[in-house]
Amino acid sequence: MDGLAGLLDGPRARGAFLLRILLDAPWSVRLEDEAPLSVTAVVRGHLWVCADDQDPVRLEAGDVVVRVGRDHWRIADDPATPDQIVIHPGQLCTTVDGHVVVEEMGQGVRSWGNSKVGETVLLTGVYLLEGEVTRRLLRALPRLLVLRAHELDTPLIDLLGQEVVRDAPGQEAVLDRLLDLLLITLLRTWFDRPQSDPPAWYAAQGDPVVGPALRLMQHHPEHPWTVAELADRAGVSRAAFARRFTDLVGEPPMTFLTGWRIALAADLLLEPDATIATVARQVGYATPFALSAAFKRERGVSPRDHRRRGAEVATGQARVTRSTTESTRGGRRKAARGSAWTTRTS
């Protein structure tokens, strides 16, 4: 499993908040949810992306924006439109004066907005949890990525748009997987740009000596790799391999392997049924004690403390988002819905 494939596995790819948004102008939404990662695709119409420290960027139908990091930002039909709705942590939706408008804005199964049809239609996926494997990849990205329709050759946006409004058994898992696939496609497209600055290990994947060694370590972290064995697999001397690996990746082979193993362990430890012993075997440590010692040395906390903190964060997120998810799934409209956007935001 390499860094991109890592997005398909583990807690970082589960329970994402996915929504279809239907909007008629004027509209402006301030995003203060502090989610680590979000993906927004324009299906119809347009939007302006406005970050506090950047010039506004206009997106048209087929364009996608990926937002990395927990900074606040906003989307609007026009940069001059005043904020009307604020999205808080846990995807809690209020007017600017704090009135909760979750049910008033519901437009059907996983659909939300101020219109039944929408001059502008968006698909938004928000990752509520950030895994360690994900963090290793995303820290190499700018805070705002915009990919244009002509750069993307994928049916995933259309497929996601069809599936998001379905209310079928297992649909949450289907949507999580589709969102993951779309994100991987977007990141791969971004990193393949000539002007992009991918992480060193990503660029090194194409090297005939270092690339195969990286894939061996990433796909088989449980194996007791040594520099000598990796060099032998690559068909070069130990010294030549170590030097080439360090030059291209930016750290020695065993340092990279340790970091990769601990990142995987950090994510696997958050699995409900995982034990320290099973995780240790999966990432190449002979005993739970060996993993615990390495984990604390690298992270400064024990695996047990890491797991407890992760569980507390996940529980808090689930508690706050439950009401939002339930209200957008049901699709019932209240009589007051038509006035919620206009009267309370004026």
Side-chain angles (χ1 to χ4, degrees):
M1 178 175 67
D2 59 36
L4 283 178
L7 291 171
L8 287 171
D9 190 33
R12 58 203 165 276
R14 295 181 182 171
F17 187 87
L18 192 61
L19 203 63
R20 182 181 65 153
I21 303 176
L22 311 167
L23 298 165
D24 288 342
W27 61 270
S28 177
V29 179
R30 184 156 185 86
L31 298 148
E32 299 183 357
D33 55 350
E34 299 182 0
L37 176 66
S38 67
V39 178
T40 301
V42 183
V43 176
R44 181 168 64 238
H46 75 275
L47 68 80
W48 284 87
V49 173
C50 306
D52 292 341
D53 57 350
Q54 297 177 352
D55 293 334
V57 179
R58 182 180 172 111
L59 275 69
E60 305 289 348
D63 295 344
V64 181
V65 57
V66 179
R67 180 67 176 178
V68 180
R70 300 178 183 274
D71 295 339
H72 298 174
W73 58 303
R74 57 191 291 263
I75 57 175
D77 71 300
D78 187 281
T81 301
D83 291 339
Q84 298 168 330
I85 296 294
V86 181
I87 309 298
H88 301 274
Q91 303 307 299
L92 179 64
C93 173
T94 74
T95 59
V96 291
D97 60 1
H99 173 70
V100 177
V101 290
V102 173
E103 293 188 1
E104 290 93 330
M105 301 292 291
Q107 298 291 351
V109 178
R110 300 184 192 87
S111 299
W112 177 94
N114 67 355
S115 171
K116 284 185 177 182
V117 178
E119 298 170 349
T120 293
V121 178
L122 312 174
L123 291 176
T124 295
V126 179
Y127 285 77
L128 304 178
L129 299 175
E130 182 182 24
E132 296 300 324
V133 172
T134 308
R135 189 176 295 117
R136 287 169 63 91
L137 176 67
L138 299 184
R139 67 190 177 194
L141 298 170
R143 286 179 295 170
L144 193 70
L145 283 71
V146 174
L147 291 161
R148 301 298 181 179
H150 66 84
E151 299 178 89
L152 300 171
D153 182 18
T154 175
L156 289 170
I157 296 175
D158 290 339
L159 184 57
L160 195 59
Q162 296 170 20
E163 291 291 331
V164 72
V165 294
R166 293 188 62 191
D167 196 12
Q171 194 66 7
E172 298 295 339
V174 170
L175 294 173
D176 281 349
R177 298 285 80 78
L178 285 175
L179 181 59
D180 286 333
L181 289 169
L182 176 59
L183 177 60
I184 288 176
T185 299
L186 297 174
L187 296 183
R188 189 164 55 192
T189 301
W190 178 266
F191 284 141
D192 287 345
R193 283 177 162 187
Q195 67 272 32
S196 70
D197 185 22
W201 60 260
Y202 183 90
Q205 299 274 354
D207 184 79
V209 172
V210 175
L214 277 169
R215 288 187 286 275
L216 285 171
M217 288 187 282
Q218 291 173 326
H219 287 262
H220 302 285
E222 75 286 352
H223 185 81
W225 296 110
T226 64
V227 175
E229 182 179 2
L230 291 168
D232 184 63
R233 296 280 192 105
V236 297
S237 71
R238 183 183 185 280
F241 172 78
R243 183 170 55 252
R244 189 178 185 92
F245 190 101
T246 303
D247 288 345
L248 292 180
V249 179
E251 56 186 352
M254 294 300 101
T255 302
F256 174 86
L257 179 59
T258 297
W260 179 249
R261 284 171 167 168
I262 296 301
L264 288 176
D267 286 345
L268 292 170
L269 285 165
L270 301 183
E271 296 287 341
D273 299 328
T275 67
I276 297 177
T278 59
V279 171
R281 289 193 295 270
Q282 286 178 273
V283 299
Y285 288 91
T287 66
F289 176 79
L291 172 60
S292 296
F295 197 94
K296 190 166 186 177
R297 184 170 58 251
E298 292 287 320
R299 302 281 170 169
V301 297
S302 69
R304 294 185 189 279
D305 288 341
H306 170 77
R307 167 179 268 173
R308 185 179 66 251
R309 293 176 187 177
E312 291 172 354
V313 171
T315 300
Q317 289 280 15
R319 185 182 300 115
V320 176
T321 58
R322 188 174 298 114
S323 62
T324 304
T325 303
E326 290 174 353
S327 66
T328 56
R329 185 177 297 148
R332 294 183 178 179
R333 303 189 69 193
K334 290 191 173 183
R337 181 172 300 141
S339 62
W341 186 281
T342 54
T343 61
R344 291 188 180 273
T345 61
S346 60

